[in-house]
Amino acid sequence: SPQFEFSEIQDILNRHRTLTETNSQLIEQQKKSVTESELRRAELFQLSRDKVNSILNRNNEIASLQKNLETVTLSTVGMQSMADATYQDVNVKVSELGQVHASVENLFLRLENQAQRYKKKKPVEPLGTTTTSPSTPSGDNDHGKSSISSTINSRKTLEYLETIADYITDYQSITEEWKDKLLNVYKTNDTYQ
């Protein structure tokens, strides 16, 4: 049985050596794992901090862009309001201009028709393109046509006004002649009485 004991002791020593080596390996592996875990934890912390900073920067950018959007929106609303007011003002002025065109044309036609009775002239054609209310432009083309029509109406109206001025001058001359004749008649009548 001493051999049995010796063999047991040898086995125990071998087992101890194996366990000691395994323990050393495990301790070394644990150290490596702890080091690697700390390294990963530091990387994760840095990555997390970078992402938080990135999110804060993006939020700041979004806030800045939102503020710019609000400023541009307010500016756009203001400009649109000004454009609407200008458009309404233009419509009022175009309407008034149309009324002036119509009034001048009407006066011209009355004077011409009155003059026809005395001159036996051919009847005068009305302007025919006078607008008394503004048309709503639906695009640049319509606005251009309206502008051309307005220019033509303005030229025709000026021609009518010149003719009307001639009629008024003629009327004033005729009135003066009649006044002079009437004064002469009264003077002659007064001298005979």
Side-chain angles (χ1 to χ4, degrees), residues 17-154:
R17 193 178 334 120
T18 304
L19 287 174
T20 304
E21 286 176 9
T22 304
N23 186 33
S24 294
Q25 288 175 355
L26 286 174
I27 289 173
E28 192 63 34
Q29 191 175 3
Q30 182 186 10
K31 285 180 183 177
K32 284 182 182 176
S33 294
V34 166
T35 304
E36 192 173 326
S37 173
E38 287 175 2
L39 184 65
R40 296 285 181 243
R41 186 175 295 130
E43 287 175 357
L44 179 63
F45 178 75
Q46 185 63 38
L47 181 65
S48 176
R49 196 168 75 187
D50 289 347
K51 291 300 176 184
V52 166
N53 286 339
S54 177
I55 289 170
L56 288 174
N57 288 337
R58 297 293 181 196
N59 284 342
N60 288 340
E61 273 183 54
I62 289 170
S64 175
L65 291 172
Q66 186 71 31
K67 190 172 183 178
N68 287 346
L69 176 64
E70 289 171 5
T71 302
V72 168
T73 301
L74 285 174
S75 176
T76 302
V77 166
M79 287 181 184
Q80 183 64 43
S81 178
M82 285 174 51
D84 290 345
T86 301
Y87 181 72
Q88 288 176 348
D89 188 43
V90 166
N91 279 343
V92 167
K93 295 209 184 300
V94 166
S95 176
E96 290 171 355
L97 186 61
Q99 290 172 1
V100 168
H101 287 312
S103 298
V104 168
E105 181 182 9
N106 186 24
L107 181 59
F108 172 78
L109 290 174
R110 286 177 149 194
L111 288 171
E112 281 292 307
N113 288 333
Q114 191 69 24
Q116 279 178 18
R117 294 182 186 166
Y118 299 107
K119 295 181 182 178
K120 306 278 186 200
K121 245 172 119 176
K122 187 171 137 183
V124 177
E125 289 292 321
L127 181 60
T129 57
T130 302
T131 55
T132 55
S133 63
S135 60
T136 304
S138 60
D140 290 337
N141 250 354
D142 290 342
H143 181 61
K145 288 178 185 175
S146 175
S147 177
I148 291 170
S149 175
S150 180
T151 301
I152 291 170
N153 285 344
S154 295

Side-chain angles (χ1 to χ4, degrees), residues 136-179:
T136 304
S138 60
D140 290 337
N141 250 354
D142 290 342
H143 181 61
K145 288 178 185 175
S146 175
S147 177
I148 291 170
S149 175
S150 180
T151 301
I152 291 170
N153 285 344
S154 295
R155 287 183 186 155
K156 196 66 173 172
T157 300
L158 287 175
E159 290 173 18
Y160 284 169
L161 285 171
E162 286 173 9
T163 304
I164 291 168
D166 290 342
Y167 279 125
I168 291 172
T169 303
D170 290 348
Y171 180 74
Q172 286 174 338
S173 296
I174 292 168
T175 305
E176 288 298 319
E177 283 181 34
W178 273 96
K179 281 183 185 177

